[in-house]
């Protein structure tokens, strides 16, 4: 970034990093013109998000927050960012750094995305929040209104949506290249289920504040079964749609201008024990007609034991990587009148 001005950085940083797009309308509060940031969740995916945003020379990290100091690598981050103050409670961090920060990055377990985001927005902070953004459609609507009200720049963590291929799929569909699309099939072999009951009598580490981890979730005893991202297997904190579906649905959702479905139905071959997620399901969303575009049925085939259909326009002997049993990849197929588009996970 030799000879790059702060204005140039703000306009182009989306191309330099893996996600953050900081438009020219974003202004810094700090006297030296640097963009000051606070980071909620600095372990796991938060390590990547914090590193990408902080690597720019026009960014200054002032706040680091994780409910588990050890998992969040708070000591390591604090040595790297001498100007940053460490916190366990994001509410305390936002309150104390309120007039000093411009941007808040949120990379926490799913159930805390909405409350942390709304808190930052109401303080007039620009926000980057990892997917899934919310648990309900109404929460998304509230965040949208808050963004407009406070005139803040927002972005959901979704690297694939920023790629050229997503725009290309939309151009093909909107240009009529494959005809009307009425069916979309989405595939993921990931297993989110567990039959094991949460370990009992666990003692949480001294570095973790369990009450802060629970956030708005109903109070339950700590269990080692919930740490190291294993919370994703439990309905108390997550759902089977929240992890890969935002990535895999996006090409169709963007290309077809899909919005809120008219109905959702889940077929689960083997019900899961209470509180735990199933390891396989076929979930069907129905979307109404939009303008000149017809209704759409979107089916999500999820898990290692879910049968995959033979799709129209797909040669029987053709092997599609994301449709092969056991594949680490996921993908989607937009079925048009005249042809289909396959979009692999990016």
């Amino acid at each position: 970034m030799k000879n790059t001005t702060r204005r140039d950085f703000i306009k182009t940083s989306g191309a330099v990093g893996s996600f953050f797009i900081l438009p020219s309308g974003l202004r810094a509060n700090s006297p030296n013109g640097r963009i000051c940031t606070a980071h909620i969740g600095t372990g796991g995916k938060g390590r990547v998000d914090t590193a990408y945003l902080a690597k720019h020379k026009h960014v200054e990290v002032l706040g680091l927050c994780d409910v588990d100091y050890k998992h969040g690598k708070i000591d390591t981050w604090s040595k790297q960012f001498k100007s940053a103050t460490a916190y366990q409670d994001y509410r305390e961090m936002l309150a104390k750094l309120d007039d000093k920060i411009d941007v808040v990055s949120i990379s926490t377990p799913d159930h805390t995305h909405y409350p942390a985001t709304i808190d930052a927005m109401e303080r007039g902070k620009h926000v980057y929040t990892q997917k899934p953004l919310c648990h309900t459609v109404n929460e998304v609507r509230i965040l949208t209104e808050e963004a407009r009200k406070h005139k803040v720049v927002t972005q959901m963590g979704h690297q694939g949506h920023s790629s050229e291929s997503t725009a290309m799929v939309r151009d093909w569909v909107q240009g009529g290249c494959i005809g009307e699309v009425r069916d979309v099939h989405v595939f993921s072999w990931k297993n989110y289920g567990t039959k094991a009951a949460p370990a009992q009598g666990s003692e949480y580490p001294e570095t973790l504040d369990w009450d802060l981890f629970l956030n708005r979730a109903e109070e339950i005893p700590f269990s080692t079964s919930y740490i190291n991202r294993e919370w994703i297997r439990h309905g108390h904190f997550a759902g089977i749609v929240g992890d890969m579906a935002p990535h895999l649905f996006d090409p169709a959702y963007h290309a077809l201008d899909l919005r809120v479905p008219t109905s959702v139905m889940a077929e689960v071959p083997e019900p899961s024990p209470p509180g735990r997620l199933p390891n396989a399901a076929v979930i069907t969303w129905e979307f109404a007609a939009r303008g000149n575009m017809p209704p759409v049925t979107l089916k999500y085939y999820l898990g290692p034991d879910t049968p995959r259909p033979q799709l129209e326009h797909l040669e029987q002997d053709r092997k599609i990587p994301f449709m092969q049993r056991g594949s680490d990849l996921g993908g989607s197929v937009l079925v048009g009148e005249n042809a289909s588009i396959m979009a692999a996970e990016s």
Side-chain angles (χ1 to χ4, degrees):
M1 295 181 66
K2 189 177 279 188
N3 298 324
T4 300
T5 65
R6 177 176 175 276
R7 181 182 296 274
D8 292 333
F9 160 74
I10 291 174
K11 288 182 178 180
T12 62
S13 60
V16 177
S18 85
F19 44 86
F20 284 96
I21 301 173
L22 305 179
S24 56
L26 194 158
R27 294 290 177 262
N29 290 321
S30 60
N32 62 10
R34 303 190 79 184
I35 297 172
C36 296
T37 64
H39 302 258
I40 304 173
T42 56
K45 181 59 176 170
R47 283 198 287 271
V48 178
D49 294 348
T50 299
Y52 264 106
L53 182 55
K55 72 178 182 179
H56 299 293
K57 66 180 182 180
H58 294 289
V59 166
E60 183 175 10
V61 177
L62 295 187
L64 298 164
C65 180
D66 202 287
V67 297
D68 187 338
Y69 265 52
K70 183 177 180 181
H71 179 73
K73 307 289 184 183
I74 292 295
D75 288 343
T76 302
W77 287 122
S78 296
K79 291 176 183 177
Q80 181 175 347
F81 305 119
K82 303 296 185 182
S83 59
T85 303
Y87 301 86
Q88 274 191 302
D89 190 335
Y90 70 79
R91 297 167 299 180
E92 179 186 4
M93 179 177 72
L94 294 180
K96 289 187 174 180
L97 299 180
D98 195 8
D99 61 344
K100 299 180 178 66
I101 56 175
D102 308 291
V103 174
V104 178
S105 171
I106 300 167
S107 306
T108 56
D110 295 359
H111 67 292
T112 59
H113 289 178
Y114 171 76
T117 301
I118 196 73
D119 194 338
M121 280 187 178
E122 288 176 344
R123 297 175 184 275
K125 306 307 171 189
H126 308 289
V127 183
Y128 171 87
T129 304
Q130 266 298 336
K131 59 81 194 168
L133 187 60
C134 297
H135 271 321
T136 68
V137 172
N138 189 54
E139 288 177 353
V140 175
R141 289 170 174 159
I142 293 172
L143 291 185
T144 301
E145 289 304 312
E146 288 298 314
R148 290 171 179 158
K149 176 181 176 181
H150 297 287
K151 297 181 172 60
V152 293
V153 177
T154 65
Q155 184 177 357
M156 184 178 72
H158 194 304
Q159 297 90 322
H161 188 76
S162 301
S163 68
E164 182 182 2
S165 60
T166 300
M168 188 181 301
V169 171
R170 178 177 170 84
D171 288 344
W172 288 342
V173 171
Q174 297 275 332
C177 295
I178 63 172
E180 288 188 342
V181 177
R182 294 177 178 271
D183 293 287
V184 177
H185 300 273
V186 185
F187 306 92
S188 174
W189 293 95
K190 284 195 172 184
N191 175 9
Y192 294 96
T194 178
K195 294 182 179 179
Q200 302 297 307
S202 303
E203 293 187 10
Y204 50 82
E206 294 181 357
T207 57
L208 169 68
D209 188 316
W210 179 238
D211 286 337
L212 293 179
F213 182 95
L214 286 173
N215 196 278
R216 61 172 173 167
E218 184 180 351
E219 184 176 358
I220 56 174
F222 169 79
S223 173
T224 53
S225 300
Y226 303 139
I227 62 175
N228 298 324
R229 206 171 179 260
E230 286 300 293
W231 53 262
I232 205 169
R233 300 186 182 278
H234 299 268
H236 202 75
F237 306 108
I240 59 174
V241 176
D243 185 34
M244 288 309 302
H247 293 295
L248 303 179
F249 288 17
D250 188 59
Y253 197 90
H254 185 50
L256 296 169
D257 290 331
L258 301 179
R259 292 297 180 265
V260 180
T262 56
S263 69
V264 182
M265 182 180 69
E267 302 171 72
V268 180
E270 184 179 357
S272 57
R276 279 150 275 172
L277 300 182
N279 68 356
V282 178
I283 309 173
T284 304
W285 284 262
E286 298 289 351
F287 295 90
R290 291 110 25 247
N292 296 325
M293 290 186 283
V296 171
T297 298
L298 185 152
K299 283 186 174 288
Y300 188 27
Y301 304 87
L302 176 64
D305 301 319
T306 304
R308 271 51 174 174
Q310 175 63 35
L311 300 178
E312 190 176 353
H313 305 133
L314 183 64
E315 306 90 329
Q316 281 199 325
D317 58 347
R318 185 174 182 183
K319 296 187 182 301
I320 307 303
F322 62 75
M323 291 185 66
Q324 302 305 303
R325 184 174 295 276
S327 172
D328 291 332
L329 295 173
S332 62
V333 179
L334 288 70
V335 182
E337 288 179 293
N338 309 316
S340 293
I341 297 175
M342 291 178 289
E345 175 188 343
S346 59

